[in-house]
Every structure is written in C-alpha cells, then in structure tokens.
Amino acid sequence: MARIVMKFGGTSVADIDRIRNVARHVKREVDAGHEVAVVVSAMSGKTNELVGWTKAADAMHDAREYDAVVASGEQVTSGLLAITLQSMGINARSWQGWQIPIHTDNSHGAARILEIDGSEIIKRMGEGQVAVVAGFQGLGPDNRIATLGRGGSDTSAVAIAAAVKADRCDIYTDVDGVYTTDPRIEPKARRLKKVGFEEMLEMASLGSKVLQVRSVELAMVFKVRTFVRSSFVDPDAPGMGDFLNPPGTLICDEEEIVEQEVVTGIAYAKDEAQISLRRVADRPGVSAAIFGPLAETHINVDMIVQNISEDGSRTDMTFTVPTGDLEKAQKVLEDQKDKVGFDVIQSESGLVKVSVIGVGMRSHAGVAATAFKALAEKGINIKAITTSEIKISILIDGAYGELAVRTLHSAYGLDKK
Ligand code: ASP
Ligand code: MG
C-alpha cells in the first residue's frame, strides 16, 4: 500500500465524461488499497475564459479580485469530481486551497506556496477518504484567495505530495510521458523512462510544456518522485495499476537513474529575439545599467553574450528576450543610451533557441562539438551559444528550428535506442 497524489490537468477534466474517466483512474488506485489525494485543474479553456472576463470588466483590475474570479474554475472541477467519485461508491470530499489551508505569499496572480498543513488530509486518507483538492490556489496572508500563476496546479500537486509525504505524485495529462524531444517535430522521439530533476528543470524552462517550471523546482527541493502519465487511456488497461512500473516517465533523483545517457533530450523555444548593443563602453557598471532597467520592466532576459574588448574601451553586448517584449526592451534601452554609452541597437526577432540537455555532459568531452558539427553539415548558422554544466543552448534563425531539432536528435543517437 502506498500514498499517492494524482493530478489531472484541464484536458483530462474537460467535460463530465472526462471527469468520469478520471474518477475511474482514482477508483483503480483506491481499489488497490492506496491512500489517495487528487489535485485538479479547471476544465480546459475555462481559466482563459475567466481571465478574459476580468479584463473585459476592467483592464486595470485589482489582482485580489482577479484571483477571486480565476480560482473558481478549479472549485468547480473539485466539486464535480467529488460528486462523481461518490456516485461510484468512493468516499470523497472536495477541498479549496483556503480550507486545507495552503498558505501562500501575497503576490496575487503569481503567488508562491509558503506552507501547507497536510494533517487533516493525512487523517482523512487514513480513514479511507479521498481528498479532491482544487489546484492553482491557496490562501494569502491577507486572508484572501491567491492563485499560483498559469499552469500552477502542477505546483499545487507537488506541494501537496511533499506535505502529505506521498510516495509518488502522478501527473496525468494529455501526453503519455516526457519525450527526448517534441514528437510533433521529430516522430522518432522516444518516451523516456526516467529523467533527473535537474534535467527536467532545464527541459521545462527551455520550452518543454509538460510541467510548470516551478513544480519541477519544488519536486527537486523536496525530492518528490513525480510521474508523468496519460489520462487518455483506459483506466483499467493492463499495467495501468502497476505501482512499481506504470507506463509513463518518472522524474526522480539522478541516483535512481542507472543507465545515464550523455544527452537526454533536445528542447526548443520559439519566438526569441536578439538585441545587440554595439560599441558599449567597457567599464564597471555598464551591465547593471543595461539589465537593471530591463528587470524593473519585467522583461525576461535570457542568453547574454559579452565579448572581451580589443583595446579595453568598447565592446559588444548581445542578449535575447521574448519576441513579444522586443519593442518594450528597445524603448527601455534607448532611454538608457547616455548612461550606458553605446553606439547603436541592432535587433532581430523570430529566432529559435535549441538546447541539448543531459547530466552526462558533466563527465564527457566533445558534446558541444558534436552539435556544432551536425548543424554545420546542414548549413545552419549559429548566432549565439550559451552553456551550463548540463546544457548547451544555440540560437538560430527561426526557419531552421525544426531541422535543427531533428539534426541534433539524431546526432546524439536519441532516435536509435
Ligand atoms: N487552470 C490553471 C491554468 O489554466 C491552472 C492549471 O491548469 O494548472 O493556468
Ligand atoms: Mg498544465
């Protein structure tokens, strides 16, 4: 017998039929004798609709009232799933974030979980009751509902799993696991059996949309074994209830992964824009003068490349921002022109960042060279490169994005195993 947190995303609870299907997944685990808590998202499309309504009511709305509105989607699905489970003879009860409570900070609309009191849920699970928890929400210090940012119910699920000391957090979604790359781009992509927390964190931040980045951070910190699997299969198909080896991808500690490959996956992020400041004064304080104001404007700067100046007086600074923020960023920089002391701003949008990820890079040489050679053979020009211990990110022209993904996927033999 184990303790499991099961999380179901928006497409998995999109209508009453889908909710009934989810209830059958829950019933399977309950019937196997496990203690179960469930976390649900809003029905797919619902949160977008609610966000749209708050904007239509007033574009400058109060963030606390935004939260009161958008948290309602999860309230609906938690109640509906509890009703459905009860109709199947399962003892179930819905929980809103404030009832548990899930304490958050005061950043309405993008709150962070501070603490969860798991005691009541643990007690009820012990009595055989299934807790159906509304994801995406908690209780702020102002005693008001706070939401966790879009995609936040993944984070709710991992946090609840940590709070109740679950053996595993199963994230049910519309894909059946984490793949070596996006199968829509490379049909030869393979489902991974296991991925390390750190690798998954890179994949999530670098464009893979399977899990909210924050949820992976939390899973890594609290060592929550997190399992990505599909709700779009017959809940009673063979193997689905196999606790030790169900179909899907386990996100876990590196030590649990015995056969570690050098490269685990290829991620890509579209709509990147590049900004180059030419002939920037080469003196202390210049980077702060460039990136400080961008940060204050909430522009997310990603790759940063600064060259060493030839004569110690002027250098070039290149970095990337989301294409949607390009205009705003240019405006901020123009305003800083005197302070920074650069000649011109050059920019290019519609770029793609392709990343090669794998903890094996730590101990293998030549991993980057393989990527450069493979891209060169396809005539793909590299605009910028950044690396960390476990990833290489390459910025290229948007038109070559998919070709680059396929090229790198096969260069590291990911389609073969
Ligand atoms: N319903 C929320 C959203 O659409 C939270 C979630 O689904 O994870 O962002
Ligand atoms: Mg989601």
Side-chain angles (χ1 to χ4, degrees):
M1 191 202 85
R3 185 176 288 169
I4 312 175
V5 170
M6 305 171 76
K7 184 258 167 177
F8 295 92
T11 51
S12 302
V13 293
D15 56 38
I16 299 297
D17 273 348
R18 302 281 334 145
I19 289 176
R20 192 159 289 130
N21 176 67
V22 161
R24 289 177 57 214
H25 282 286
V26 175
K27 184 174 187 326
R28 181 191 65 231
E29 305 297 349
V30 171
D31 288 350
H34 300 308
E35 289 183 353
V36 177
V38 184
V39 175
V40 286
S41 291
M43 292 174 170
S44 66
K46 195 71 208 174
T47 310
N48 286 345
E49 183 182 44
L50 296 168
V51 169
W53 288 347
T54 62
K55 286 195 186 131
D58 181 4
M60 300 301 294
H61 51 256
D62 181 326
R64 287 158 296 197
E65 301 311 337
Y66 165 95
D67 278 349
V69 175
V70 301
S72 66
E74 275 73 9
Q75 173 157 351
V76 171
T77 42
S78 61
L80 288 174
L81 180 57
I83 291 174
T84 310
L85 287 167
Q86 288 169 358
S87 78
M88 293 163 77
I90 295 168
N91 180 4
R93 185 60 65 207
S94 72
W95 294 84
Q96 308 310 301
W98 60 268
Q99 288 172 308
I100 293 179
I102 297 173
H103 289 291
T104 71
D105 66 12
N106 209 14
S107 319
H108 283 278
R112 287 186 151 237
I113 295 175
L114 299 177
E115 201 196 342
I116 298 180
D117 181 355
S119 56
E120 185 65 22
I121 303 241
I122 293 174
K123 182 175 141 243
R124 302 234 187 169
M125 283 195 295
E127 294 161 6
Q129 189 174 82
V130 174
V132 186
V133 180
F136 183 50
Q137 52 165 271
L139 182 67
D142 53 1
N143 216 23
R144 296 200 149 267
I145 295 170
T147 63
L148 308 181
R150 298 307 304 273
S153 52
D154 291 336
T155 301
S156 307
V158 172
I160 298 262
V164 304
K165 302 196 169 55
D167 297 288
R168 204 170 68 205
C169 180
D170 283 3
I171 307 269
Y172 286 80
T173 177
D174 48 12
V175 293
D176 62 1
V178 178
Y179 279 69
T180 47
T181 195
D182 186 341
R184 284 166 304 184
I185 294 180
E186 173 52 280
K188 283 184 262 173
R190 287 174 307 110
R191 187 172 75 198
L192 294 158
K193 264 191 99 59
K194 291 181 180 178
V195 189
F197 287 126
E198 234 184 309
E199 291 173 324
M200 192 62 213
L201 190 57
E202 292 284 11
M203 287 196 207
S205 357
L206 293 169
S208 152
K209 293 194 176 54
V210 187
L211 289 176
Q212 199 203 29
V213 176
R214 177 91 189 100
S215 70
V216 186
E217 280 170 9
L218 216 58
M220 185 157 99
V221 171
F222 292 100
K223 294 209 188 298
V224 176
R225 300 172 80 243
T226 303
F227 199 77
V228 177
R229 55 191 300 183
S230 173
S231 77
F232 285 72
V233 279
D234 177 1
D236 300 310
M240 285 299 288
D242 180 348
F243 181 73
L244 292 178
N245 197 21
T249 302
L250 180 67
I251 303 160
C252 59
D253 213 82
E254 237 175 78
E255 279 138 44
E256 252 192 80
I257 306 173
V258 190
E259 289 167 69
Q260 191 70 65
E261 308 290 348
V262 177
V263 167
T264 306
I266 312 291
Y268 81 110
K270 284 192 294 196
D271 299 323
E272 302 273 321
Q274 170 190 316
I275 298 178
S276 293
L277 300 180
R278 299 294 177 199
R279 288 172 295 282
V280 177
D282 189 9
R283 55 175 158 75
V286 160
S287 294
I290 296 172
F291 298 112
L294 290 172
E296 279 157 28
T297 329
H298 300 288
I299 294 173
N300 208 349
V301 175
D302 184 23
M303 305 170 96
I304 302 178
V305 185
Q306 186 202 299
N307 214 330
I308 293 177
S309 65
E310 200 181 83
D311 57 1
S313 74
R314 301 255 148 185
T315 181
D316 287 344
M317 182 82 85
T318 295
F319 52 91
T320 61
V321 297
T323 292
D325 285 341
L326 178 59
E327 254 182 70
K328 204 162 68 171
Q330 278 171 312
K331 167 121 204 348
V332 171
L333 293 166
E334 284 294 354
D335 291 346
Q336 291 292 310
K337 191 166 182 181
D338 290 341
K339 215 165 151 199
V340 179
F342 57 84
D343 253 14
V344 281
I345 303 182
Q346 291 171 338
S347 68
E348 194 179 356
S349 57
L351 306 180
V352 164
K353 183 177 66 174
V354 186
S355 304
V356 178
I357 298 155
V359 290
M361 276 181 213
R362 284 198 193 114
S363 49
H364 283 79
V367 181
T370 302
F372 304 149
K373 183 159 171 275
L375 295 176
E377 277 165 8
K378 292 281 182 330
I380 300 174
N381 188 37
I382 298 173
K383 291 174 178 293
I385 304 163
T386 54
T387 63
S388 81
E389 230 188 350
I390 67 162
K391 75 147 197 257
I392 305 154
S393 290
I394 300 170
L395 190 68
I396 57 171
D397 200 281
Y400 295 105
E402 302 201 351
L403 176 63
V405 168
R406 286 191 290 267
T407 301
L408 295 174
H409 193 263
S410 89
Y412 293 102
L414 290 173
D415 39 10
K416 290 208 193 77
K417 284 156 241 159

